[in-house]
């Protein structure tokens, strides 16, 4: 089956409604299993996974792929299917971003889903059920938080108490010696980045070794809130490539992002 024509406004609205409804349902499922006794195990070297991750993934896949069988699929909890590389439209999914926090009974976890077209996100939803934050963005139409339009903070100054990310990395922005007191750690990377979009943070960093599913939805949510998200050279992030792992990234409002990128261009990481 050929890919849908996403330039068609009817297709856009159909998929936007599908995404919103499905992510809300997935978040409700995850919350119903939160702080219960769950089977859990470790994949790879140290990445936790639980039966909740799998259940939410199964729901998302059934709803999204069932409605759009011609789209590709890339999920943290699904075996990678290389046919996604030939699809112009691909769902990029993290069923529970922040599984370690979820299993620890902490609030900072979310469901994160984006629809990527030719390497760039065009729809995005990030839902943190415990804190009741539902971020939603459509390319070219702005970002909503709980149905209210939001924007990243303006200006270029850096208040380190409003910056989240790995401390050794952020300390490289400090012009003088002294203690840097950052915003308290946010265990879900997607949620950390999204909080730039409504001004909860001035800037957020990803310390490296993040994946498409951690980033794609948050990327569009930040961009549509008049922010920017990129690698430290300022280059945009491309998704649904053969390699889905990314290096150090930064998200911030437009002017602040430009200053941070300029700083690291002049003082690159070793």
């Amino acid at each position: 089956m050929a890919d849908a024509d996403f330039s068609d406004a009817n297709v856009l609205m159909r998929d936007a409604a599908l995404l919103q409804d499905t992510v809300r349902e997935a978040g409700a499922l995850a919350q119903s299993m939160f702080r219960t006794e769950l089977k859990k195990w470790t994949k790879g070297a140290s990445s936790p996974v639980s039966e909740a991750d799998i259940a939410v993934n199964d729901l998302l896949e059934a709803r999204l792929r069932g409605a759009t069988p011609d789209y590709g699929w890339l999920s943290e909890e699904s075996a990678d299917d290389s046919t996604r590389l030939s699809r112009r439209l691909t769902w990029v999914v993290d069923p529970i971003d922040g599984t370690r926090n979820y299993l620890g009974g902490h609030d900072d976890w979310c469901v994160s889903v984006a629809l990527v077209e030719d390497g760039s996100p065009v729809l995005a939803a990030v839902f943190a059920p415990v804190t009741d934050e539902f971020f939603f963005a459509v390319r070219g139409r702005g970002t909503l938080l709980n149905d209210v339009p939001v924007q990243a903070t303006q200006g270029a100054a850096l208040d380190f108490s409003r910056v989240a990310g790995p401390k050794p990395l952020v300390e490289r922005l400090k012009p003088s010696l002294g203690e840097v007191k950052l915003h308290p750690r946010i265990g879900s990377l997607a949620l950390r980045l999204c909080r730039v979009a409504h001004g909860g943070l001035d800037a957020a960093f990803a310390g490296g070794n993040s994946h498409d599913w951690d980033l794609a939805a948050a990327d569009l949510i930040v961009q549509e809130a008049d922010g920017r998200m990129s690698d430290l050279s300022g280059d945009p992030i491309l998704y649904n490539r053969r390699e889905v792992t990314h290096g150090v990234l930064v998200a911030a409002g437009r002017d602040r992002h430009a200053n941070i990128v300029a700083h690291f261009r002049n003082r690159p990481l070793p």
Side-chain angles (χ1 to χ4, degrees), residues 219 223 229-238 249 257 261 265:
D219 191 345
Q223 305 277 3
M229 182 169 149
S230 72
D231 64 23
L232 292 187
S233 67
D235 292 332
I237 308 157
L238 296 177
L249 307 169
H257 177 272
V261 166
R265 280 178 178 158

